[in-house]
Amino acid sequence: MSDAQVRSAGEAWRRHGLGRHRADPVELVRQATLAASSHNTQPWRFALEPGGISILPDLSRRCPAVDPDDHHLYASLGCAAENLLVAAQAAGLDGGAAYDAAKDRVRVELEDATPVRTTLFEALARRQNSRCEYDGTPLNEAERRLLQQAGHGRGVSVLLLSGAQQKEQVAEYVAAGNTAQFGDAAWARELRSWVRFNAREAERLGDGLYGPVMGSPDVPRWLGVLFMRLAFSARAQNRKDIRHIRGSAAIAVLFSEADDKAHWVEAGRCYERLALQATALDLRTAFINQPVEVPALRPQFAAFLGIGPRRPDLVVRIGRGPEMPRSRRRAVEQVLA
């Protein structure tokens, strides 16, 4: 979509009666794209429609090796929907989001309201998946309460695990997940395809996992691929992940009452809200989803958590640490339907 088409779409959207406070739908979409997504695939398309915005799955960006049932893809749509609602509220629009199974989309309904700039809105541009070591400082009660509130939604709950033994057990499941994934050649190929080993590659494509974001140097692609093939191993990743988990203040596990797309979307919304709340508290977050990505491990992990038949959706470590380089995002004209 060209710049002229983007402007035309925004003007048409406002003519349908939204935007009494001159909300810019293109800017709302841009802020929505700052949301989290697996491998930073950004698997979404946004349609400006009368009375709201629909978020559509971009199945060309799915990751069948790490996410064979598209759970993370639909959770990513929920992350984008939550960002969109937070940004809309600051722009003078209020509403809600729901998964529309008939049209396979997340429909965000909006109406004019009084602008409200929340601490979550202020955190939109700062939230990141911080793959660094945290300092081990525990959460205080006020922080725990706010994170618990942020992580709950319709049919979705959150557990905050902060005991040393709990963290050790989570680390064991993460290590088992790493071992399984590193032994899967398709998983390794898929991961390499989404790694952007240098700034030029990251800027050109606007997506994927930029090497320095993961603590790796900026190198030519051929060298990065060679390194991953020769030195990137489950043993090395386990050492790193176990150290990172031990240094976290808490591990958040989001889980759903039902295993369907509507709940996957809601889990994404809850994660994004929790991550924005953490950012507002100057806390860092990072996914450690291995226990929920390996199908054989998932029910064992659920049993450890004591959640019965419910699906554990996302696993996130939380703590205090430095800011990291940021992943890139594609331009709005590339994601408007």
Side-chain angles (χ1 to χ4, degrees), residues 78-79 81-83 85-86 120 123 127 146-154 156 254 265-280 285:
C79 293
E82 190 63 27
N83 267 19
L85 286 167
V86 170
L120 300 192
R127 185 215 62 82
L146 288 169
L147 293 171
Q148 287 275 8
Q149 291 171 351
H152 278 80
R154 296 189 303 270
V156 175
L254 294 105
V265 168
E266 184 68 14
R269 289 190 61 190
C270 291
Y271 159 75
E272 192 73 9
R273 196 160 54 244
L274 180 146
L276 290 173
Q277 180 62 79
T279 303
T285 60

Side-chain angles (χ1 to χ4, degrees), residues 4 24 41 58 66 80 86 132 179 183-184 192 208 220 241 253 292 306 311:
D24 180 356
T41 54
D58 184 347
V66 75
V86 170
C132 59
T179 299
D184 181 349
R192 282 197 301 270
D241 286 343
V253 183
V292 301
R311 175 167 183 157

Side-chain angles (χ1 to χ4, degrees), residues 21-24 28 31 83-94 113-122 124:
H21 297 284
R22 305 305 297 165
D24 180 356
L28 296 183
Q31 290 170 315
N83 267 19
L84 181 56
L85 286 167
V86 170
Q89 188 179 31
L93 297 169
D94 196 15
T114 301
V116 179
R117 291 174 68 98
T118 64
T119 56
L120 300 192
F121 173 74
E122 301 297 338
L124 278 179

Side-chain angles (χ1 to χ4, degrees), residues 28-322:
L28 296 183
V29 169
R30 187 194 70 78
Q31 290 170 315
T33 66
L34 299 177
S37 60
S38 180
H39 290 357
N40 190 30
T41 54
Q42 304 166 45
W44 43 55
R45 301 277 287 171
F46 296 83
L48 307 183
E49 299 169 341
I53 297 174
S54 283
I55 308 175
L56 315 170
D58 184 347
L59 299 178
S60 71
R61 291 178 165 267
R62 62 188 301 268
C63 294
V66 75
D67 187 30
D69 62 358
D70 294 328
H71 170 278
H72 287 354
L73 188 152
Y74 282 90
S76 298
L77 303 189
C79 293
E82 190 63 27
N83 267 19
L84 181 56
L85 286 167
V86 170
Q89 188 179 31
L93 297 169
D94 196 15
Y99 176 67
D100 179 352
K103 296 186 177 180
D104 192 27
R105 64 176 185 172
V106 180
R107 169 67 179 174
V108 180
E109 299 280 353
L110 297 168
E111 61 183 14
D112 284 309
T114 301
V116 179
R117 291 174 68 98
T118 64
T119 56
L120 300 192
F121 173 74
E122 301 297 338
L124 278 179
R126 295 190 294 117
R127 185 215 62 82
Q128 63 176 166
N129 196 33
S130 301
R131 297 176 176 85
C132 59
E133 190 166 358
Y134 305 155
D135 67 9
T137 305
L139 301 174
N140 61 45
E141 285 305 310
E143 291 168 338
R144 289 185 67 92
R145 184 175 64 256
L146 288 169
L147 293 171
Q148 287 275 8
Q149 291 171 351
H152 278 80
R154 296 189 303 270
V156 175
S157 302
V158 62
L159 290 173
L160 284 181
L161 310 176
S162 55
Q165 184 58 36
Q166 290 175 318
K167 289 191 285 186
E168 288 299 321
Q169 289 174 291
V170 170
E172 290 178 11
Y173 281 105
V174 169
N178 280 333
T179 299
Q181 289 181 329
F182 275 81
D184 181 349
W187 176 87
R189 285 194 301 271
E190 183 176 87
L191 177 62
R192 282 197 301 270
S193 74
W194 286 103
V195 174
R196 310 302 179 227
F197 291 100
N198 54 76
R200 178 181 296 180
E201 194 174 38
E203 288 291 348
R204 178 173 60 84
L205 296 172
D207 60 11
L209 301 167
Y210 178 37
V213 171
M214 300 184 291
S216 302
D218 187 302
V219 297
R221 182 165 190 85
W222 69 267
L223 183 57
V225 169
L226 181 63
F227 172 81
M228 287 190 72
R229 286 177 173 159
L230 297 179
F232 192 48
S233 68
R235 179 177 296 180
Q237 190 64 38
N238 283 340
R239 285 197 300 268
K240 181 178 179 180
D241 286 343
I242 291 170
R243 185 176 70 252
H244 284 181
I245 290 168
R246 288 172 176 168
S248 298
I251 308 300
V253 183
L254 294 105
F255 63 96
S256 296
E257 295 295 324
D259 191 9
D260 56 32
K261 290 178 182 177
H263 284 82
W264 302 348
V265 168
E266 184 68 14
R269 289 190 61 190
C270 291
Y271 159 75
E272 192 73 9
R273 196 160 54 244
L274 180 146
L276 290 173
Q277 180 62 79
T279 303
L281 294 168
D282 203 26
L283 296 167
R284 308 288 179 248
T285 60
F287 288 116
I288 44 171
N289 280 326
Q290 295 91 323
V292 301
E293 290 172 346
V294 177
L297 278 180
R298 196 182 307 132
Q300 299 173 35
F301 190 58
F304 153 66
L305 296 171
I307 61 174
R310 299 171 182 84
R311 175 167 183 157
D313 291 286
L314 300 165
V315 190
V316 186
R317 60 187 181 93
I318 304 171
R320 305 176 211 279

